[in-house]
Amino acid sequence: MLDVRRMQVLRAVISSGSITAAARNLGYTPSAISQQLSTLEREAGVELLERVGRGVRPTPAGSLLSEHAETLSTQLAKAEAALSELKEGRTGRLAIRYFATAGASLVPLAVAALRREFPGVRLDLKLVEPDDSLPEIESGKADVAMIVLPSTTPRIKGAEYIHLLDDPYRAILPKNHRLARKRVLDLAELAEDPWVGVDGLPGACRDILLDACGAAGFAPNHVVESEDYQTAQGFVAAGLGVALIPELGLGAPHPGVAIRKVRRPDPVRSIHAAVAAHAREHPAVRRFLGAIREGARAA
């Protein structure tokens, strides 16, 4: 098999016209250059150079290998440049998983920031439920997943969990509700009301809501369920019940509802990013997470 480095030595000799000149240019001794050429000729099975006076000139085989050495050098330089850009986070693919409320309010601005600063990075964006994204990190399908902690899903060994923001829940009341005039409600004040369920599926979000109500001394009486926060607001506006909805899920508030802070306790979703071990130091990942935090502060 031909050695690429020896082919490059051959090219240097042909370009300079002599072994001595090539040795001087490459920083080797003439004997070292001659040894490299002899080995390359044995590998090729044919003479590559012939002497002309004090210099050398290539045989047809030597010219052929010299041309290929130039091509290989160009390709190697391109490969090294591409590798450098990949290591600097300027190219490659970044798979991000996010849940609906984060996608609507925070992810678009963060993606726009990535497009501006890392245009060579291809983004793989996918909307998933908060509890469904960790398995994609574990399987290697995703690099970053936005999640709600605490989660019943076991943490993935090697992944980094980075706090992004806290998302407090708000009480959603019909406009004419008896407590609508209050600025802050004790959660226990809603114990006897019918409730509009907003997180019907088991998971971190439902656990936060039920744990908060339990701490206030009651279990909510859900009379209707909705997995969509905007629809839930419509149910509340129609007088079907009250609800707790995280701030990120409020979107454009329904004109028929009153939104109030709650206390004793004040339930909060702790939103984190789970980052796969191989993506921890990726500059584009760090920029994405920073943009999420910036968006949260500006909201």
Side-chain angles (χ1 to χ4, degrees):
M1 181 179 294
L2 297 176
D3 186 276
V4 174
R5 289 172 297 179
R6 296 189 184 104
M7 290 173 62
Q8 291 172 337
V9 169
L10 172 66
R11 178 169 171 263
V13 170
I14 293 174
S15 298
S16 61
S18 72
I19 291 176
T20 302
R24 184 171 57 250
N25 294 337
L26 295 176
Y28 295 146
T29 63
S31 60
I33 295 294
S34 296
Q35 185 177 0
Q36 292 288 323
L37 293 174
S38 297
T39 302
L40 181 62
E41 285 187 332
R42 287 198 300 273
E43 293 172 345
V46 64
E47 289 188 358
L48 302 175
L49 296 170
E50 57 185 10
R51 292 195 172 275
V52 180
R54 294 186 177 181
V56 293
R57 66 184 178 192
T59 65
S63 296
L64 176 67
L65 289 188
S66 178
E67 291 172 4
H68 282 285
E70 182 176 4
T71 301
L72 290 172
S73 295
T74 300
Q75 293 300 320
L76 180 60
K78 288 181 179 179
E80 289 175 342
L83 179 60
S84 177
E85 288 195 343
L86 181 65
K87 290 166 65 177
E88 293 172 3
R90 298 292 169 184
T91 59
R93 171 182 170 274
L94 187 60
I96 298 172
R97 303 296 179 254
Y98 61 93
F99 55 93
T101 50
S105 56
L106 300 176
V107 171
L109 293 177
V111 169
L114 280 184
R115 290 293 191 199
R116 289 192 301 269
E117 299 178 35
F118 296 88
V121 175
R122 294 178 289 109
L123 295 180
D124 172 11
L125 302 170
K126 185 178 178 182
L127 173 66
V128 296
E129 291 296 324
D131 293 321
D132 293 341
S133 55
L134 284 180
E136 296 215 11
I137 294 285
E138 190 168 27
S139 67
K141 293 180 180 178
D143 304 301
V144 180
M146 297 185 68
I147 61 173
V148 175
L149 287 179
S151 174
T152 54
T153 304
R155 294 200 178 194
I156 298 169
K157 185 178 180 180
E160 182 179 6
Y161 291 79
I162 301 172
H163 179 262
L164 299 177
L165 68 147
D166 289 327
D167 186 20
Y169 279 76
R170 300 298 184 221
I172 314 299
L173 314 175
K175 280 282 191 181
N176 60 356
H177 193 275
R178 70 186 188 282
L179 300 174
R181 293 182 180 181
K182 299 185 68 172
R183 294 180 61 186
V184 182
L185 309 178
D186 287 345
L187 188 54
E189 294 181 274
L190 301 175
E192 300 303 321
D193 283 85
W195 280 66
V196 175
V198 294
D199 288 304
L201 297 176
C205 295
R206 184 175 177 84
D207 290 344
I208 292 169
L209 191 153
L210 294 179
D211 289 348
C213 292
F218 71 97
N221 174 28
H222 291 129
V223 296
V224 64
E225 297 277 354
S226 173
E227 294 182 11
D228 175 73
Y229 291 139
Q230 294 300 313
T231 302
Q233 290 189 50
F235 287 153
V236 172
L240 296 175
V242 300
L244 281 183
I245 294 178
E247 269 194 348
L248 286 180
L250 293 176
H254 193 288
V257 304
I259 300 172
R260 299 292 181 263
K261 293 183 179 180
V262 292
R263 63 186 179 187
R264 300 193 186 111
D266 51 345
V268 173
R269 294 195 306 181
S270 182
I271 298 177
H272 286 63
V275 182
H278 67 268
R280 285 181 178 181
E281 302 305 322
H282 197 300
V285 170
R286 296 295 170 181
R287 183 65 189 100
F288 175 79
L289 300 182
I292 290 289
R293 290 196 186 98
E294 292 166 10
R297 287 194 294 267

